[in-house]
């Protein structure tokens, strides 16, 4: 094999890159790619999508629109995604015409909670005890197994995010009722764990397998939605190493190329994989302000075949999400927020605020994680009414 065959040439600026999905994660990708000199097209059906509004071209069409996909594939030298629910068929179709990273297969494993959990277990990694429930026979098998999954959480296998498509269930009668209420889609029933904390690992993996892992983040949720991320997570070194190794193992097994996020539960000192996201992640926003390279720039680098940057963090950071409810009384107190030194603000330019909708975030960076955390909470108290 000659050197050129084993090491393909990177796609260099001003080449055009494509992003499937136009949310805030896509918007940060567009900014990172622009910073590096690339041209970016975004495909998203929402005419006011945050990424579409700053892209060089916004194809406002459905992810299944054949004409739009043809135009997108013809224009883009490489395509990535910020939205894990892009139909696998869309990625497969694009992959026949252009470079698609991560692959349709990697994305499809992350799209289906049943596939995802079976995949994680096949690698010898633990997840919360669960049953896959696709039909009446699966429900019977669960009963007969005698495994107690209650109190539990019933989760639709597909299309859930931010706690949507989930129901807390105390017993089997409640689980069956919730399943009917959802319209009996394939689901997983998962035992509810008593959580010490939740953490996530974000990494970037290049086509040659080189992997760069960001510092582990500790995540606090409110109503099933990420509220605050603290990096580095306040956990012991053994758990930190286990989480980083588990994430790298998953990425390797998926032959993943791009930025990948893995969410974990820590319960009674033990690590459980919760779920994967085949894209940058809300809990990695801190990399924009607290690291030498962001999860979005790494996504660009992996996509185009440039070397990944060796990750270095500038200190401890706390990221606070600002959801639609903060807009009820006229929105956050921007003047105070911007007047607070050491705070970095990111607003996604969304025109409509809805309860639970991610509108903006701010990050506080400093030396001592506890001090930064207290500071972030104090800033939030001053600028939003919750
Ligand atoms: P989503 O796709 O909405 O992020 P998750 O499965 O990550 O779905 O669930 C959202 C949040 O709900 C989790 O981050 C966690 O706080 C809580 N949760 C989900 N499953 C469990 C569980 N088995 N035990 C305890 N808490 C859970
Ligand atoms: Mg989650």
């Amino acid at each position: 094999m000659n050197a050129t065959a084993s090491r393909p040439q990177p796609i260099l600026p001003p080449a055009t890159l494509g992003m499937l999905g136009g949310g805030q994660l896509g918007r940060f990708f567009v900014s990172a790619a622009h910073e590096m000199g690339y041209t970016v097209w975004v495909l998203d059906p929402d005419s006011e999508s945050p990424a579409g509004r700053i892209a060089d071209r916004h194809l406002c069409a459905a992810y299944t629109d054949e004409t739009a996909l043809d135009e997108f594939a013809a224009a883009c030298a490489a395509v990535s995604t910020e939205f894990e629910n892009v139909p696998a068929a869309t990625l497969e179709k694009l992959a026949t015409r252009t470079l698609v990273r991560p692959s349709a297969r990697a994305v499809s494993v992350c799209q289906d909670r049943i596939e995802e959990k079976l995949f994680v277990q096949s690698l010898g990694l633990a997840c919360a005890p669960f049953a896959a429930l696709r039909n009446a026979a699966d429900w019977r098998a669960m009963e007969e197994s005698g495994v107690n999954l209650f109190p539990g959480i019933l989760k639709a296998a597909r299309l859930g995010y931010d706690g949507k498509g989930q129901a807390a269930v105390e017993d089997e009668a409640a689980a069956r009722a919730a399943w009917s209420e959802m319209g009996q889609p394939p689901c997983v029933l998962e035992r509810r764990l008593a959580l010490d904390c939740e953490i996530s690992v974000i990494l970037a993996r290049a086509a040659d397998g080189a992997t760069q892992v960001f510092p582990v983040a500790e995540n606090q949720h409110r109503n099933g939605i990420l509220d605050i991320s603290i990096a580095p997570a306040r956990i012991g070194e053994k758990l930190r190493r286990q989480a980083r190794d588990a994430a790298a193992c998953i990425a390797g097994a998926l032959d993943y190329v791009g930025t990948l996020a893995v969410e974990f539960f820590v319960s009674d000192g033990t690590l459980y994989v919760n779920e994967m996201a085949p894209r940058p992640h809300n809990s990695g926003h801190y990399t924009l302000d607290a690291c030498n390279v962001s999860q979005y720039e790494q996504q660009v680098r992996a996509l185009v075949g440039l070397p990944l940057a060796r990750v270095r963090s500038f200190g401890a950071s706390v990221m606070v999400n600002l959801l639609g409810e903060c807009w009820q009384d006229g929105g956050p107190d921007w003047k105070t927020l911007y007047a607070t030194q050491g705070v970095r603000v990111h607003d996604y330019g969304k025109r409509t605020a809805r309860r639970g909708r991610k509108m903006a975030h701010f990050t506080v960076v400093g030396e001592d994680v506890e001090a930064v955390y207290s500071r972030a909470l104090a800033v939030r108290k001053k600028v939003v009414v919750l």
Side-chain angles (χ1 to χ4, degrees):
M1 214 193 296
N2 67 33
T4 330
S6 60
R7 215 177 268 276
Q9 292 302 308
I11 297 162
L12 294 172
T16 300
L17 308 180
M19 177 44 59
L20 292 164
Q24 60 273 10
L25 302 173
R27 184 176 169 104
F28 288 122
F29 171 92
V30 175
S31 295
H34 277 168
E35 191 64 31
M36 296 165 76
Y38 291 96
T39 309
V40 190
W41 284 31
V42 165
L43 177 67
D44 186 293
D46 175 4
S47 63
E48 300 218 314
S49 76
R53 292 183 42 229
I54 64 163
D56 296 278
R57 176 94 193 272
H58 174 198
L59 285 182
C60 185
Y63 297 114
T64 48
D65 183 320
E66 299 274 331
T67 315
L69 290 178
D70 283 342
E71 197 182 349
F72 198 59
C76 301
V79 171
S80 194
T81 175
E82 63 108 41
F83 172 57
E84 71 248 49
N85 293 320
V86 170
T90 296
L91 297 173
E92 279 156 12
K93 183 180 161 71
L94 290 171
T96 63
R97 308 264 313 265
T98 183
L99 191 62
V100 175
R101 288 173 165 168
S103 69
R105 178 189 164 248
V107 173
S108 80
V109 171
C110 305
Q111 276 176 344
D112 186 300
R113 292 188 194 275
I114 298 175
E115 254 198 81
E116 183 176 56
K117 287 179 193 298
L118 295 175
F119 181 77
V120 164
Q121 286 185 331
S122 76
L123 301 175
L125 300 169
C127 43
F130 75 97
L133 299 170
R134 284 156 292 214
N135 48 41
D138 284 344
W139 282 87
R140 267 196 313 278
M142 176 180 74
E143 272 172 57
E144 283 160 13
S145 75
V147 178
N148 181 16
L149 297 174
F150 298 102
I153 305 184
L154 187 71
K155 303 180 179 181
R158 301 184 75 88
L159 302 177
Y161 70 97
D162 286 349
K164 293 187 178 71
Q166 300 192 5
V169 289
E170 301 310 314
D171 53 31
E172 195 185 322
R176 284 185 180 271
W179 192 51
S180 294
E181 179 96 350
M182 289 177 184
Q184 306 193 334
C187 278
V188 296
L189 175 64
E190 212 176 291
R191 188 186 302 153
R192 207 181 308 155
L193 301 176
L195 303 180
D196 306 344
C197 67
E198 292 184 67
I199 59 176
S200 56
V201 174
I202 294 165
L203 60 76
R205 188 169 179 278
D208 65 3
T211 301
Q212 283 291 325
V213 186
F214 287 101
V216 180
E218 173 186 340
N219 302 322
Q220 298 176 353
H221 294 80
R222 194 192 284 223
N223 303 322
I225 306 176
L226 186 67
D227 184 33
I228 286 181
S229 280
I230 303 161
R234 297 165 298 174
I235 54 172
E237 282 319 305
K238 187 166 163 228
L239 268 178
R240 199 184 305 280
R241 201 169 345 101
Q242 275 178 359
R244 292 168 62 103
D245 290 350
C249 167
I250 290 170
L254 288 171
D255 200 12
Y256 196 89
V257 183
T259 294
L260 173 76
V262 183
E263 298 179 13
F264 298 89
F265 298 134
V266 181
S267 175
D268 208 11
T270 303
L271 191 69
Y272 299 87
V273 175
N274 171 20
E275 60 174 349
M276 289 102 78
R279 50 167 173 78
H281 193 261
N282 191 167
S283 68
H285 282 340
Y286 80 88
T287 62
L288 286 163
D289 302 311
C291 294
N292 62 314
V293 64
S294 72
Q295 59 172 349
Y296 308 100
E297 181 177 330
Q298 296 285 56
Q299 185 183 21
V300 177
R301 286 172 176 249
L303 176 64
V304 301
L306 285 171
L308 298 177
R310 197 169 313 130
V311 172
R312 218 160 22 81
S313 103
F314 302 139
S317 66
V318 172
M319 186 264 350
V320 178
N321 265 342
L322 298 173
L323 304 183
E325 43 270 44
C326 305
W327 268 250
Q328 266 164 1
D329 300 305
D333 178 352
W334 296 116
K335 260 166 72 178
T336 302
L337 192 55
Y338 279 99
T340 314
Q341 297 305 312
V343 175
R344 294 271 298 152
V345 186
H346 301 269
D347 185 293
Y348 316 143
K350 294 182 184 177
R351 297 288 198 252
T352 328
R354 281 190 301 273
R355 229 190 141 64
R357 189 173 197 209
K358 291 167 180 165
M359 302 295 291
H361 75 266
F362 69 83
T363 306
V364 183
V365 185
E367 271 171 35
D368 175 68
V369 68
E370 293 300 342
V372 175
Y373 183 49
S374 315
R375 188 136 189 275
L377 292 184
V379 172
R380 171 162 77 176
K381 206 157 168 203
K382 272 201 286 186
V383 302
V384 297
V385 187
L386 276 180

